[in-house]
Amino acid sequence: MYFAALLARTEDGWEASDTELDDVETLSDLADLAREASPEDDTVLVLIEQEDAWFGVVRIDGEDDPRIYVSDAAAAARSSYGEILLTDELLGREPGDDDADLDSLDLDGTEEPDGDSEDDEDGGGADAVPHSPVGDSEILDDLGVGEKELKSLDAEDALSTIAEALGASEVLETVR
């Protein structure tokens, strides 16, 4: 089960709206959706969680590039919404690294796979996505949630804790 909400900062405080991510295919689509929530180019936070597995925060400040934090990259990689957030840059990969892997594949099926199947399921050994936080852990520093606190949050109650620190827990609960 997923939950996604937009929190837009306005002169009157935070405004929350739940959002459907079904039509969002890229980080660019997500950023555009967030920018629509704040016509004044104020800060917008996209909060995404998958039940007890991982959470992500995307911060859009006007036309700046989105800033992203994901609590558990490996768990998020198994989710269609998480895949949107896990860009090559965020994972420390060069764009297009996946294409190089295609050149090394045996596509005629005549050779036995080498290596262990568990690595293959996770996307390969060296390029495996870590079971740890990735992204900008200082994404909410100026909003009252420091790096240490963000990294210590449990996926189960992270969004509520973040909203409480922002003074937006009531508005978030109205869309939950």
Side-chain angles (χ1 to χ4, degrees), residues 70-116:
V70 176
S71 67
D72 183 335
R78 293 187 294 269
S79 142
S80 58
Y81 298 138
E83 286 179 345
I84 293 169
L85 305 181
L86 297 175
T87 63
D88 286 337
E89 181 182 347
L90 191 71
L91 295 173
R93 298 180 187 158
E94 288 294 319
D97 274 357
D98 295 342
D99 296 339
D101 292 342
L102 290 177
D103 295 337
S104 66
L105 289 178
D106 169 34
L107 298 177
D108 67 3
T110 58
E111 293 183 20
E112 290 295 316
D114 52 339
D116 124 353

Side-chain angles (χ1 to χ4, degrees), residues 7 45 47 49 55 57 140 143-146 148-170 172-173 176:
L7 282 179
L45 300 176
L47 305 174
E49 72 179 8
F55 71 92
V57 178
L140 300 173
L143 299 174
V145 182
K148 188 175 182 180
E149 183 180 2
L150 185 63
K151 286 183 172 182
S152 70
L153 292 176
D154 185 313
E156 184 177 343
D157 58 356
L159 300 191
S160 297
T161 303
I162 290 169
E164 187 175 315
L166 299 174
S169 52
E170 288 182 26
L172 182 66
E173 286 306 313
R176 195 178 271 276

Side-chain angles (χ1 to χ4, degrees), residues 47-58:
L47 305 174
I48 303 171
E49 72 179 8
Q50 180 182 4
E51 219 172 74
D52 301 339
W54 66 276
F55 71 92
V57 178
V58 179

Side-chain angles (χ1 to χ4, degrees), residues 26 36-37 106 108 118 141-143 155:
T26 65
E36 290 172 12
D106 169 34
D108 67 3
E118 191 172 307
D141 275 359
D142 63 326
L143 299 174

Side-chain angles (χ1 to χ4, degrees), residues 24-81:
V24 173
E25 295 180 9
T26 65
L27 181 59
S28 205
D29 293 344
L30 185 61
D32 290 345
L33 181 70
R35 286 184 182 106
E36 290 172 12
S38 178
E40 300 296 320
D41 288 340
D42 288 322
T43 299
V44 178
L45 300 176
V46 180
L47 305 174
I48 303 171
E49 72 179 8
Q50 180 182 4
E51 219 172 74
D52 301 339
W54 66 276
F55 71 92
V57 178
V58 179
R59 179 177 177 160
I60 291 92
D61 293 303
E63 291 300 316
D64 292 347
D65 288 340
R67 295 169 58 192
I68 305 165
Y69 175 82
V70 176
S71 67
D72 183 335
R78 293 187 294 269
S79 142
S80 58
Y81 298 138

